[in-house]
PDB file of all heavy atoms in Angstrom:
ATOM      1  N   ALA V  65      11.918 -13.721   4.393  1.00 97.00           N
ATOM      2  CA  ALA V  65      12.332 -12.670   5.325  1.00 97.00           C
ATOM      3  C   ALA V  65      13.290 -11.682   4.656  1.00 97.00           C
ATOM      4  O   ALA V  65      14.034 -12.025   3.748  1.00 97.00           O
ATOM      5  CB  ALA V  65      13.005 -13.288   6.550  1.00 97.00           C
ATOM      6  N   ALA V  66      13.251 -10.449   5.147  1.00 98.00           N
ATOM      7  CA  ALA V  66      14.212  -9.423   4.745  1.00 98.00           C
ATOM      8  C   ALA V  66      15.049  -9.062   5.965  1.00 98.00           C
ATOM      9  O   ALA V  66      14.564  -9.135   7.108  1.00 98.00           O
ATOM     10  CB  ALA V  66      13.495  -8.198   4.208  1.00 98.00           C
ATOM     11  N   PHE V  67      16.289  -8.649   5.716  1.00 98.00           N
ATOM     12  CA  PHE V  67      17.248  -8.420   6.788  1.00 98.00           C
ATOM     13  C   PHE V  67      17.901  -7.046   6.662  1.00 98.00           C
ATOM     14  O   PHE V  67      17.717  -6.347   5.659  1.00 98.00           O
ATOM     15  CB  PHE V  67      18.318  -9.520   6.756  1.00 98.00           C
ATOM     16  CG  PHE V  67      17.747 -10.902   6.946  1.00 98.00           C
ATOM     17  CD1 PHE V  67      17.392 -11.680   5.853  1.00 98.00           C
ATOM     18  CD2 PHE V  67      17.534 -11.412   8.214  1.00 98.00           C
ATOM     19  CE1 PHE V  67      16.847 -12.949   6.027  1.00 98.00           C
ATOM     20  CE2 PHE V  67      16.990 -12.674   8.400  1.00 98.00           C
ATOM     21  CZ  PHE V  67      16.643 -13.453   7.301  1.00 98.00           C
ATOM     22  N   LEU V  68      18.677  -6.702   7.656  1.00 98.00           N
ATOM     23  CA  LEU V  68      19.378  -5.420   7.720  1.00 98.00           C
ATOM     24  C   LEU V  68      20.116  -5.137   6.407  1.00 98.00           C
ATOM     25  O   LEU V  68      20.791  -6.011   5.867  1.00 98.00           O
ATOM     26  CB  LEU V  68      20.367  -5.431   8.889  1.00 98.00           C
ATOM     27  CG  LEU V  68      21.130  -4.130   9.151  1.00 98.00           C
ATOM     28  CD1 LEU V  68      20.159  -3.014   9.539  1.00 98.00           C
ATOM     29  CD2 LEU V  68      22.156  -4.329  10.249  1.00 98.00           C
ATOM     30  N   ASN V  69      19.943  -3.916   5.933  1.00 98.00           N
ATOM     31  CA  ASN V  69      20.576  -3.390   4.710  1.00 98.00           C
ATOM     32  C   ASN V  69      20.021  -3.942   3.409  1.00 98.00           C
ATOM     33  O   ASN V  69      20.485  -3.552   2.331  1.00 98.00           O
ATOM     34  CB  ASN V  69      22.103  -3.570   4.741  1.00 98.00           C
ATOM     35  CG  ASN V  69      22.730  -2.792   5.876  1.00 98.00           C
ATOM     36  OD1 ASN V  69      22.302  -1.681   6.187  1.00 98.00           O
ATOM     37  ND2 ASN V  69      23.730  -3.383   6.514  1.00 98.00           N
ATOM     38  N   ASP V  70      19.038  -4.845   3.453  1.00 98.00           N
ATOM     39  CA  ASP V  70      18.398  -5.293   2.213  1.00 98.00           C
ATOM     40  C   ASP V  70      17.681  -4.114   1.556  1.00 98.00           C
ATOM     41  O   ASP V  70      17.116  -3.254   2.244  1.00 98.00           O
ATOM     42  CB  ASP V  70      17.367  -6.389   2.475  1.00 98.00           C
ATOM     43  CG  ASP V  70      17.976  -7.750   2.760  1.00 98.00           C
ATOM     44  OD1 ASP V  70      19.212  -7.891   2.660  1.00 98.00           O
ATOM     45  OD2 ASP V  70      17.208  -8.676   3.100  1.00 98.00           O
ATOM     46  N   SER V  71      17.711  -4.077   0.241  1.00 98.00           N
ATOM     47  CA  SER V  71      16.921  -3.105  -0.514  1.00 98.00           C
ATOM     48  C   SER V  71      15.645  -3.799  -0.954  1.00 98.00           C
ATOM     49  O   SER V  71      15.701  -4.901  -1.520  1.00 98.00           O
ATOM     50  CB  SER V  71      17.686  -2.612  -1.740  1.00 98.00           C
ATOM     51  OG  SER V  71      18.741  -1.783  -1.353  1.00 98.00           O
ATOM     52  N   ILE V  72      14.526  -3.147  -0.699  1.00 98.00           N
ATOM     53  CA  ILE V  72      13.222  -3.728  -1.014  1.00 98.00           C
ATOM     54  C   ILE V  72      12.494  -2.829  -1.996  1.00 98.00           C
ATOM     55  O   ILE V  72      12.341  -1.627  -1.760  1.00 98.00           O
ATOM     56  CB  ILE V  72      12.373  -3.906   0.260  1.00 98.00           C
ATOM     57  CG1 ILE V  72      13.079  -4.843   1.241  1.00 98.00           C
ATOM     58  CG2 ILE V  72      10.976  -4.422  -0.092  1.00 98.00           C
ATOM     59  CD1 ILE V  72      12.379  -4.972   2.580  1.00 98.00           C
ATOM     60  N   GLU V  73      12.054  -3.428  -3.094  1.00 98.00           N
ATOM     61  CA  GLU V  73      11.221  -2.736  -4.070  1.00 98.00           C
ATOM     62  C   GLU V  73       9.771  -2.970  -3.666  1.00 98.00           C
ATOM     63  O   GLU V  73       9.332  -4.126  -3.567  1.00 98.00           O
ATOM     64  CB  GLU V  73      11.474  -3.283  -5.469  1.00 98.00           C
ATOM     65  CG  GLU V  73      10.579  -2.696  -6.524  1.00 98.00           C
ATOM     66  CD  GLU V  73      11.227  -1.537  -7.251  1.00 98.00           C
ATOM     67  OE1 GLU V  73      12.454  -1.535  -7.381  1.00 98.00           O
ATOM     68  OE2 GLU V  73      10.479  -0.653  -7.685  1.00 98.00           O
ATOM     69  N   ILE V  74       9.044  -1.883  -3.420  1.00 98.00           N
ATOM     70  CA  ILE V  74       7.639  -1.966  -3.026  1.00 98.00           C
ATOM     71  C   ILE V  74       6.800  -1.448  -4.195  1.00 98.00           C
ATOM     72  O   ILE V  74       7.030  -0.343  -4.687  1.00 98.00           O
ATOM     73  CB  ILE V  74       7.349  -1.138  -1.766  1.00 98.00           C
ATOM     74  CG1 ILE V  74       8.278  -1.546  -0.624  1.00 98.00           C
ATOM     75  CG2 ILE V  74       5.886  -1.291  -1.353  1.00 98.00           C
ATOM     76  CD1 ILE V  74       8.141  -0.681   0.613  1.00 98.00           C
ATOM     77  N   LYS V  75       5.838  -2.258  -4.625  1.00 98.00           N
ATOM     78  CA  LYS V  75       4.970  -1.888  -5.744  1.00 98.00           C
ATOM     79  C   LYS V  75       3.523  -2.032  -5.302  1.00 98.00           C
ATOM     80  O   LYS V  75       3.165  -2.995  -4.618  1.00 98.00           O
ATOM     81  CB  LYS V  75       5.242  -2.789  -6.940  1.00 98.00           C
ATOM     82  CG  LYS V  75       4.349  -2.500  -8.138  1.00 98.00           C
ATOM     83  CD  LYS V  75       4.707  -3.358  -9.323  1.00 98.00           C
ATOM     84  CE  LYS V  75       3.959  -4.656  -9.268  1.00 98.00           C
ATOM     85  NZ  LYS V  75       4.039  -5.465 -10.480  1.00 98.00           N
ATOM     86  N   THR V  76       2.700  -1.078  -5.702  1.00 98.00           N
ATOM     87  CA  THR V  76       1.277  -1.152  -5.395  1.00 98.00           C
ATOM     88  C   THR V  76       0.443  -0.798  -6.619  1.00 98.00           C
ATOM     89  O   THR V  76       0.890  -0.053  -7.490  1.00 98.00           O
ATOM     90  CB  THR V  76       0.905  -0.226  -4.215  1.00 98.00           C
ATOM     91  OG1 THR V  76      -0.456  -0.470  -3.834  1.00 98.00           O
ATOM     92  CG2 THR V  76       1.088   1.238  -4.541  1.00 98.00           C
ATOM     93  N   TYR V  77      -0.738  -1.347  -6.647  1.00 97.00           N
ATOM     94  CA  TYR V  77      -1.710  -1.001  -7.677  1.00 97.00           C
ATOM     95  C   TYR V  77      -3.102  -1.306  -7.142  1.00 97.00           C
ATOM     96  O   TYR V  77      -3.268  -2.083  -6.208  1.00 97.00           O
ATOM     97  CB  TYR V  77      -1.455  -1.757  -8.988  1.00 97.00           C
ATOM     98  CG  TYR V  77      -1.455  -3.261  -8.857  1.00 97.00           C
ATOM     99  CD1 TYR V  77      -2.629  -3.990  -9.003  1.00 97.00           C
ATOM    100  CD2 TYR V  77      -0.282  -3.945  -8.567  1.00 97.00           C
ATOM    101  CE1 TYR V  77      -2.634  -5.379  -8.871  1.00 97.00           C
ATOM    102  CE2 TYR V  77      -0.272  -5.330  -8.444  1.00 97.00           C
ATOM    103  CZ  TYR V  77      -1.445  -6.032  -8.596  1.00 97.00           C
ATOM    104  OH  TYR V  77      -1.437  -7.402  -8.458  1.00 97.00           O
ATOM    105  N   ILE V  78      -4.082  -0.678  -7.750  1.00 96.00           N
ATOM    106  CA  ILE V  78      -5.470  -0.926  -7.378  1.00 96.00           C
ATOM    107  C   ILE V  78      -5.993  -2.029  -8.282  1.00 96.00           C
ATOM    108  O   ILE V  78      -5.973  -1.917  -9.509  1.00 96.00           O
ATOM    109  CB  ILE V  78      -6.306   0.356  -7.492  1.00 96.00           C
ATOM    110  CG1 ILE V  78      -5.758   1.400  -6.520  1.00 96.00           C
ATOM    111  CG2 ILE V  78      -7.782   0.058  -7.219  1.00 96.00           C
ATOM    112  CD1 ILE V  78      -6.303   2.774  -6.705  1.00 96.00           C
ATOM    113  N   LYS V  79      -6.451  -3.094  -7.650  1.00 96.00           N
ATOM    114  CA  LYS V  79      -6.946  -4.252  -8.404  1.00 96.00           C
ATOM    115  C   LYS V  79      -8.368  -4.018  -8.902  1.00 96.00           C
ATOM    116  O   LYS V  79      -8.714  -4.349 -10.035  1.00 96.00           O
ATOM    117  CB  LYS V  79      -6.887  -5.504  -7.527  1.00 96.00           C
ATOM    118  CG  LYS V  79      -7.279  -6.766  -8.237  1.00 96.00           C
ATOM    119  CD  LYS V  79      -7.092  -7.978  -7.363  1.00 96.00           C
ATOM    120  CE  LYS V  79      -7.507  -9.231  -8.105  1.00 96.00           C
ATOM    121  NZ  LYS V  79      -7.427 -10.398  -7.252  1.00 96.00           N
ATOM    122  N   GLU V  80      -9.202  -3.445  -8.024  1.00 95.00           N
ATOM    123  CA  GLU V  80     -10.597  -3.180  -8.403  1.00 95.00           C
ATOM    124  C   GLU V  80     -11.223  -2.189  -7.439  1.00 95.00           C
ATOM    125  O   GLU V  80     -10.757  -2.029  -6.316  1.00 95.00           O
ATOM    126  CB  GLU V  80     -11.404  -4.482  -8.421  1.00 95.00           C
ATOM    127  CG  GLU V  80     -11.494  -5.159  -7.076  1.00 95.00           C
ATOM    128  CD  GLU V  80     -12.245  -6.487  -7.135  1.00 95.00           C
ATOM    129  OE1 GLU V  80     -13.213  -6.603  -7.895  1.00 95.00           O
ATOM    130  OE2 GLU V  80     -11.841  -7.409  -6.413  1.00 95.00           O
ATOM    131  N   SER V  81     -12.286  -1.560  -7.899  1.00 96.00           N
ATOM    132  CA  SER V  81     -13.066  -0.644  -7.059  1.00 96.00           C
ATOM    133  C   SER V  81     -14.536  -0.901  -7.310  1.00 96.00           C
ATOM    134  O   SER V  81     -14.951  -1.129  -8.452  1.00 96.00           O
ATOM    135  CB  SER V  81     -12.745   0.816  -7.379  1.00 96.00           C
ATOM    136  OG  SER V  81     -11.421   1.122  -7.042  1.00 96.00           O
TER     137      SER V  81
END
Side-chain angles (χ1 to χ4, degrees):
F67 300 93
L68 183 63
N69 297 322
D70 284 355
S71 289
I72 300 174
E73 176 96 30
I74 305 174
K75 178 177 88 169
T76 188
Y77 57 90
I78 298 169
K79 184 175 180 184
E80 63 183 324
S81 294

